Amino acid sequence: MSKHLNEPHPSSPEERRRWLQVLARATSAELARWAAPVANAQRFDWLRHPEPGLVMLRGRIGNSGDRFNLGEATVTRCVVRVCLPEGESAAGVGYVLGRDTQRASWVACIDALLQLPLCRADVMRRVIEPLAAAAAARRAAAQARTATSRVEFHTLQAEVAR
């Protein structure tokens, strides 16, 4: 039995949201290192070639009040389809901030592969886990940089009291 684009794949929406978040936040260099070798090993059909465009960013007053237009941001989007020799197929999407068409392509290709049960474990191990670890390292480095400028107010108050 073959799977088609309109049939559900066993990955949950939350699981897919997590891996798309990791992919979208990865840098071009990280995707070139971990995603490109995996993506280049497969043949993908373009359903929508990478194209830059604009999206309107909206905000809310006080996080719950009236909505307002904050401004526009450039995004690049694309959609690919992968068909395995076993007959399974899936479509993957790539949305990234900026005009990096190659980065959006890698995101879409990896998203498509992750939706296929035959590929998921290998792609998670080879791509998503290293990208998530790199993102965690970036966060830790940023926290370490900001920690050096942290002001301890209780210490400051104790000094004033003397």
Side-chain angles (χ1 to χ4, degrees):
M1 179 171 82
S2 68
K3 295 213 178 229
H4 298 285
L5 293 175
N6 58 354
E7 292 181 12
H9 294 283
S11 62
S12 70
E14 294 79 23
E15 185 181 15
R16 186 171 185 217
R17 188 176 305 119
R18 279 192 298 272
W19 77 55
L20 282 172
Q21 181 180 40
V22 169
L23 289 168
R25 291 183 176 172
T27 66
S28 293
E30 292 167 348
L31 287 171
R33 179 176 178 188
W34 288 299
V38 174
N40 293 338
Q42 295 289 332
R43 184 180 162 281
F44 295 91
D45 298 318
W46 290 105
L47 300 179
R48 178 177 293 230
H49 287 277
E51 57 185 3
L54 293 173
V55 295
M56 178 60 67
L57 301 176
R58 301 195 76 192
R60 284 185 177 263
I61 296 172
N63 203 27
S64 61
D66 293 336
R67 293 181 181 179
F68 63 95
N69 292 337
L70 185 63
E72 295 177 335
T74 305
V75 296
T76 302
R77 68 178 180 174
C78 64
V79 182
V80 298
R81 177 179 52 214
V82 63
C83 297
L84 296 181
E86 294 83 2
E88 286 190 307
S89 66
V93 297
Y95 277 83
V96 296
L97 281 172
R99 301 178 59 87
D100 193 340
T101 57
Q102 184 61 62
R103 194 167 149 236
S105 300
W106 286 325
V107 170
C109 292
I110 298 301
D111 178 44
L113 289 171
L114 284 167
Q115 292 181 67
L116 300 174
L118 289 174
C119 302
R120 186 174 304 119
D122 184 51
V123 176
M124 288 295 281
R125 181 182 51 79
R126 293 177 58 193
V127 180
I128 300 301
E129 290 172 7
L131 289 176
R138 277 195 314 275
R139 274 192 307 278
Q143 288 173 347
R145 282 192 308 274
T146 58
T148 61
S149 64
R150 172 178 269 153
V151 176
E152 299 283 341
F153 288 103
H154 67 277
T155 305
L156 191 62
Q157 289 174 355
E159 293 296 322
V160 172
R162 286 185 190 182

